[in-house]
Amino acid sequence: MSYSVSPIGFVRSCFKEKFAIPRQPHLAPAARGVLELVAPFNNGDAVQGLEQVSHVWLLFLFHQALEEQPRLKVRPPRLGGNQSVGVFSTRATHRPNGIGQSVVRLDKVEDGRLWLSGIDLLDGTPVLDIKPYVPYADSVPDAVNGIAASAPELIEVTWQPAALLQAQQHAQRLGEALVELIEQCLAQDPRPAYQQPTPERRYGARLWDVDVQWHYPKPGSICVLAVVPSVE
Ligand code: SAM
């Protein structure tokens, strides 16, 4: 038996590539995006009442991780990438039906658009449904998860002075909290756990319309080297 679903909208996100997107929502509160609804949901009726809600669940498609053959076991980055566990015990992107879910802050609803922050979604992500977060039902204070017991440990992020200036200038141009976004994303240490970076090795990721470049001057520490306009 099969069912078909169609997107109710698409996310325009600060994240233009998968690398360096936090592994869950809320980890980078400065990560912003806009959910643009498509017809017939974009005329205001479908979102009436949402202005009374601070957070929403988004159900979406991992459209850049869809696979023909479902995986039964995955190696979550959370476990260092070398330990295999059942797909349903993780929030891995490679999963049957490719469905993701995130609770994100709803900053504003206007003209068939939802302004979101704290997102972990790639630009262009197709959204299948929106549901209001219901605190009394969705928050479970005594919940236990032995695989992901607490938020990932943060690492130190420092700046080359010129890179900080570049980020501040782009932040002003974009009208976005770019310095905070970079710090919050890099503090999650986006590098795959199995890689032991040398100080010479450069890493990069695209946020909004800029390329952020960094390296690891010593283990457990990131230094931002440059924030430059990205070349398409
Ligand atoms: N909060 C969601 C969940 O639990 O279903 C997503 C968790 S998943 C581990 C988060 C990762 O999904 C991000 O770090 C990013 O690399 C990836 N991702 C986000 N949007 C995606 C998309 N549209 N297609 C493929 N991968 C995506």
Side-chain angles (χ1 to χ4, degrees):
M1 197 183 301
S2 69
Y3 299 89
S4 71
V5 291
S6 26
I8 52 101
F10 296 86
V11 174
R12 299 287 152 234
S13 160
C14 57
F15 297 118
K16 308 301 180 187
E17 61 178 278
K18 285 189 275 182
F19 188 50
I21 303 181
R23 296 187 179 123
Q24 285 301 337
H26 297 303
L27 297 175
R32 299 199 328 112
V34 178
L35 169 52
E36 296 183 343
L37 299 174
V38 296
F41 309 108
N42 57 352
N43 72 358
D45 285 353
V47 292
Q48 199 187 356
L50 261 190
E51 68 286 347
Q52 299 175 63
V53 166
S54 68
H55 291 76
V56 288
W57 285 102
L58 298 182
L59 300 179
F60 59 92
L61 277 183
F62 288 116
H63 73 304
Q64 280 202 9
L66 296 175
E67 291 179 326
E68 290 290 314
Q69 284 295 323
R71 298 184 194 190
L72 305 185
K73 293 273 198 128
V74 293
R75 295 171 186 274
R78 183 71 206 223
L79 297 179
N82 51 14
Q83 207 179 316
S84 165
V85 288
V87 65
F88 296 131
S89 67
T90 77
R91 305 279 282 260
T93 55
H94 294 286
R95 59 193 311 114
N97 299 313
I99 293 178
Q101 57 177 88
S102 294
V103 177
V104 299
R105 171 170 273 285
L106 177 59
D107 295 319
K108 185 172 69 168
V109 186
E110 201 174 86
D111 300 333
R113 292 193 178 93
L114 277 65
W115 301 77
L116 309 167
S117 56
I119 61 174
D120 58 348
L121 306 172
L122 183 64
D123 192 51
T125 294
V127 175
L128 303 176
D129 202 357
I130 306 165
K131 298 191 188 199
Y133 182 82
V134 179
Y136 75 80
D138 294 344
S139 163
V140 185
D142 58 348
V144 173
N145 183 332
I147 295 179
S150 55
E153 238 174 73
L154 301 182
I155 68 167
E156 177 193 46
V157 178
T158 60
W159 293 81
Q160 289 279 353
L164 182 56
L165 196 62
Q166 290 168 336
Q168 288 164 338
Q169 286 167 347
H170 287 297
Q172 202 164 16
R173 174 182 60 80
L174 290 163
E176 289 292 338
L178 183 63
V179 174
E180 291 80 354
L181 177 63
I182 293 171
E183 289 180 347
Q184 291 164 7
C185 293
L186 297 191
Q188 310 288 323
D189 194 359
R191 157 194 70 94
Y194 59 83
Q195 271 179 21
Q196 289 310 323
T198 58
E200 295 73 42
R201 182 167 185 162
R202 299 285 187 268
Y203 288 79
R206 188 169 167 215
L207 299 175
W208 295 113
D209 61 359
V210 296
D211 284 331
V212 182
Q213 296 160 14
W214 70 91
H215 79 142
Y216 293 79
K218 58 181 186 209
S221 172
I222 278 179
C223 178
V224 186
L225 299 170
V227 179
V228 293
S230 56
V231 189
E232 295 270 344

